[in-house]
Amino acid sequence: MESYQTKDIVLTAEYYQAQEIMENLIELEMDDPLAFTTKHDPDTMHFHQAIKKPDAPQFFEAIVPKGTKILDDVWAMKCKKDIKVRKIAKYKDRLNVHGGQQEYGMNYFDTYAPVVTWSSARLILVMVILNTWVTSCVQDPPHSPHL
């Protein structure tokens, strides 16, 4: 049996093997680190558990305070297919809120939409050519989760 001497502690190969097994078990259980920590906290509950508690009205008040305007929304779900094999590659979802019901300063504070005009893009390309600058393409990889 192989062992390692470290600061008056003898660590055997069995210790390292047991440690690796525990790390693998934790890693399997911990797909989402936040979910892993909340799973072991008795004060953290799912909605269906919270509404069964005696203090359910306080949970409802925490979710939607009195006087809060609830905006209409649509939860859109979509299957993305791989074009080559026509099989489902991933599932996506998005929560869309009715923008016409939002009030500035109440439901949103900033708006931002990155927009480039064709004339600006052409100007940049002309400057690249004139100054012999080096360009590169910045793009998500084909199977990136950001697509």
Side-chain angles (χ1 to χ4, degrees):
M1 178 181 302
E2 190 176 342
S3 64
Y4 304 95
Q5 185 77 28
T6 310
K7 292 187 182 175
D8 302 327
I9 300 174
V10 177
L11 302 176
T12 63
E14 291 171 348
Y15 169 82
Y16 287 112
Q17 185 179 12
Q19 184 179 10
E20 185 177 341
I21 290 170
M22 286 303 296
E23 287 173 358
N24 290 339
L25 287 173
I26 290 171
E27 188 176 315
L28 287 174
E29 195 174 73
M30 191 172 72
D31 288 336
D32 181 3
L34 184 60
F36 178 75
T37 59
T38 59
K39 188 191 306 188
H40 302 292
D41 180 9
D43 292 331
T44 303
M45 299 166 252
H46 292 281
F47 180 77
H48 70 279
Q49 296 166 324
I51 60 173
K52 293 178 183 174
K53 297 284 184 182
D55 51 357
Q58 286 81 2
F59 283 113
F60 282 113
E61 180 70 25
I63 295 169
V64 183
K66 289 182 181 162
T68 302
K69 179 181 173 184
I70 306 294
L71 303 176
D72 293 332
D73 58 36
V74 174
W75 192 2
M77 298 179 198
K78 187 174 191 172
C79 298
K80 292 284 200 168
K81 292 186 178 180
D82 186 341
I83 296 173
K84 295 176 186 171
V85 293
R86 302 293 301 156
K87 292 193 178 190
I88 296 173
K90 63 179 158 180
Y91 296 89
K92 296 182 83 171
D93 68 331
R94 179 174 64 197
L95 184 64
N96 302 302
V97 177
H98 189 306
Q101 296 176 342
Q102 294 180 327
E103 298 174 28
Y104 180 76
M106 182 68 125
N107 308 111
Y108 72 96
F109 302 97
D110 294 321
T111 58
Y112 176 73
V115 177
V116 175
T117 63
W118 280 111
S119 58
S120 335
R122 287 187 187 118
L123 176 64
I124 295 293
L125 291 174
V126 167
M127 290 175 64
V128 165
I129 292 168
L130 292 175
N131 294 304
T132 62
W133 293 338
V134 177
T135 63
S136 63
C137 178
V138 179
Q139 178 180 342
D140 286 336
H143 298 290
S144 170
H146 302 292
L147 292 178

